[in-house]
Amino acid sequence: MIERLQKELLPLREELKDHPIYKSINDIDDLKKFMESHVFAVWDFMSLLKQLQNHLSCNNIPWSPSGYPKASRLINEIVWGEESDINKNGVAMSHFEMYIEAMKSINADTKEIDFIISALKKKEDIFKILNNSSLPKHIINFLKFTFEVVNSNNIHVIAAVFTFGREDLIPDMFIQIIKNLKIDTEEELSDIIYYFERHIEVDSDEHGPLALEMIQQLCGNDSEKWEEALKYSKKALQLRIGLWDGILSYKKNKLSFA
C-alpha cells in the first residue's frame, strides 16, 4: 500500500518540484513577497508536528508507554530540531523564529503573521482568527485545511499529511536560487540561507524511512485508513500548489496583503 500511495502522489510532488515560483525569485523584493506568504507554511507545520507528538508520545501525567516507540523517537527528534535549534549566532530558537529573524533582516513585512500569533496568545479560535484576517484566499484555504487535519485527531491522517504533504517539499534548488540573487551584500541573505540549509541538515536520511514505517504502522491492514491517508495527502499537495500559485499571482500583479 505504501508503494501505491507514493506512486499516486508522484505527479503532484513533481508538479511542486517544477513549479515556476522558484524561477520567479530574481531579486530581494521577490524574496520578500515570497517569505511574507511562505511564513504561514513554516508556522502551521509546527501544529501538525506537535499534534503527532501528542499522539505518538505520552504527554499525560502519570506517564505510560505510548505503544509507538519508533514513531515517538522520530517525532521527538524532529520536534527537538524544529522547536529548539540554534541560529547562526548560536542562540537557541525554533525554525519559525529563525524564519521571522530572516524576514526582518531583509525588511520583509511580518505584520500578518504577528497578528495571528498575537490573537492566539489571547486564546482566540484559529478559524475565527483566519476569518477576521486580511489574508488572501490561497493562504486561508491552506491554513484551514491544516487545522482541520490537526483537529480531526485521526492520527493516520495527520501522519500522512505530515509525511507526504509537508516534510520534504522545499527543493535544494531553492537554496541555490537565493544564493544566486544579485544584491549589494551577501550578509543581507545570510539568515535565510542559514534557515534553509539548517532545515535540510536536521532532516537526516533516517527520517524518511522512519516516517514511511510510521504510516504503515498507523494504517496497518485497514484499507479505509489507507484511502484516507491517500485522500488527505493529495489534498495537502494540491493546497501547497494552490499556495505557490497564489504567491506567484500576487507577485506578478504586484499585490500586497500585508
Side-chain angles (χ1 to χ4, degrees), residues 45 82 95 167 194-203:
F45 169 82
E82 293 285 344
H95 283 187
E167 191 43 357
Y194 180 88
Y195 164 83
F196 281 111
E197 289 183 333
R198 189 65 177 164
H199 198 69
I200 290 173
E201 180 183 345
V202 299
D203 185 21

Side-chain angles (χ1 to χ4, degrees), residues 52-153:
L52 276 176
Q53 188 182 44
N54 288 338
H55 284 276
L56 297 174
S57 297
C58 179
N59 291 316
N60 297 325
I61 305 297
W63 178 89
S64 63
S66 69
Y68 301 103
K70 283 188 177 181
S72 179
R73 180 179 177 85
L74 167 67
I75 295 305
N76 286 332
E77 279 187 4
I78 297 174
V79 168
W80 177 81
E82 293 285 344
E83 194 172 35
S84 55
D85 203 0
I86 54 172
N87 71 0
K88 65 185 179 67
N89 298 315
V91 178
M93 63 176 60
S94 67
H95 283 187
F96 169 74
E97 290 165 311
M98 283 186 206
Y99 199 89
I100 294 295
E101 186 176 65
M103 289 180 69
K104 290 179 177 178
S105 73
I106 62 171
N107 295 317
D109 198 330
T110 65
K111 181 177 64 178
E112 289 298 327
I113 188 64
D114 290 341
F115 166 79
I116 299 285
I117 300 300
S118 177
L120 286 171
K121 288 180 177 179
K122 298 175 183 176
K123 308 299 183 184
E124 293 184 28
D125 175 75
I126 182 59
F127 295 101
K128 181 179 178 182
I129 294 170
L130 293 175
N131 289 333
N132 290 337
S133 75
S134 58
L135 294 173
K137 188 175 181 179
H138 56 273
I139 295 179
I140 290 178
N141 289 344
F142 184 85
L143 294 176
K144 282 186 174 181
F145 172 77
T146 296
F147 289 101
E148 286 168 3
V149 169
V150 168
N151 292 342
S152 75
N153 285 313

Side-chain angles (χ1 to χ4, degrees), residues 2-258:
I2 199 78
E3 289 81 7
R4 178 206 159 197
L5 197 152
Q6 289 176 299
K7 183 178 180 180
E8 292 206 28
L9 294 177
L10 184 60
L12 288 170
R13 294 177 67 83
E14 289 297 320
E15 185 176 348
L16 271 170
K17 182 179 178 182
D18 298 331
H19 198 281
I21 187 71
Y22 306 110
K23 293 182 180 179
S24 76
I25 301 173
N26 300 308
D27 55 36
I28 198 72
D29 287 333
D30 289 336
L31 183 60
K32 286 180 185 179
K33 290 298 181 186
F34 175 82
M35 294 182 73
E36 287 166 3
S37 294
H38 178 242
V39 65
F40 293 95
V42 176
W43 166 68
D44 78 332
F45 169 82
M46 286 303 301
S47 291
L48 282 169
L49 177 58
K50 295 297 284 187
Q51 187 71 304
L52 276 176
Q53 188 182 44
N54 288 338
H55 284 276
L56 297 174
S57 297
C58 179
N59 291 316
N60 297 325
I61 305 297
W63 178 89
S64 63
S66 69
Y68 301 103
K70 283 188 177 181
S72 179
R73 180 179 177 85
L74 167 67
I75 295 305
N76 286 332
E77 279 187 4
I78 297 174
V79 168
W80 177 81
E82 293 285 344
E83 194 172 35
S84 55
D85 203 0
I86 54 172
N87 71 0
K88 65 185 179 67
N89 298 315
V91 178
M93 63 176 60
S94 67
H95 283 187
F96 169 74
E97 290 165 311
M98 283 186 206
Y99 199 89
I100 294 295
E101 186 176 65
M103 289 180 69
K104 290 179 177 178
S105 73
I106 62 171
N107 295 317
D109 198 330
T110 65
K111 181 177 64 178
E112 289 298 327
I113 188 64
D114 290 341
F115 166 79
I116 299 285
I117 300 300
S118 177
L120 286 171
K121 288 180 177 179
K122 298 175 183 176
K123 308 299 183 184
E124 293 184 28
D125 175 75
I126 182 59
F127 295 101
K128 181 179 178 182
I129 294 170
L130 293 175
N131 289 333
N132 290 337
S133 75
S134 58
L135 294 173
K137 188 175 181 179
H138 56 273
I139 295 179
I140 290 178
N141 289 344
F142 184 85
L143 294 176
K144 282 186 174 181
F145 172 77
T146 296
F147 289 101
E148 286 168 3
V149 169
V150 168
N151 292 342
S152 75
N153 285 313
N154 289 328
I155 186 60
H156 61 287
V157 169
I158 300 170
V161 169
F162 174 84
T163 300
F164 297 112
R166 303 300 293 271
E167 191 43 357
D168 61 348
L169 293 178
I170 295 292
D172 290 353
M173 64 179 175
F174 190 64
I175 293 179
Q176 294 306 315
I177 291 169
I178 295 175
K179 286 182 175 180
N180 291 332
L181 287 179
K182 300 296 187 291
I183 60 169
D184 294 335
T185 170
E186 292 182 3
E187 179 62 26
E188 197 169 2
L189 294 179
S190 62
D191 286 334
I192 188 59
I193 290 172
Y194 180 88
Y195 164 83
F196 281 111
E197 289 183 333
R198 189 65 177 164
H199 198 69
I200 290 173
E201 180 183 345
V202 299
D203 185 21
S204 68
D205 292 338
E206 295 179 3
H207 289 176
L210 282 174
L212 295 180
E213 187 176 332
M214 171 178 66
I215 300 296
Q216 289 176 312
Q217 184 177 7
L218 293 172
C219 291
N221 296 318
D222 190 325
S223 60
E224 185 175 342
K225 286 184 177 180
W226 280 108
E227 289 302 324
E228 288 179 335
L230 176 59
K231 173 185 173 181
Y232 282 91
S233 295
K234 280 184 175 179
K235 182 69 171 176
L237 291 170
Q238 289 163 348
L239 283 165
R240 175 59 74 101
I241 292 169
L243 180 66
W244 271 194
D245 289 344
I247 295 173
L248 193 59
S249 175
Y250 261 62
K251 199 169 70 65
K252 283 182 176 179
N253 293 302
K254 301 186 183 301
L255 300 174
S256 176
F257 60 88

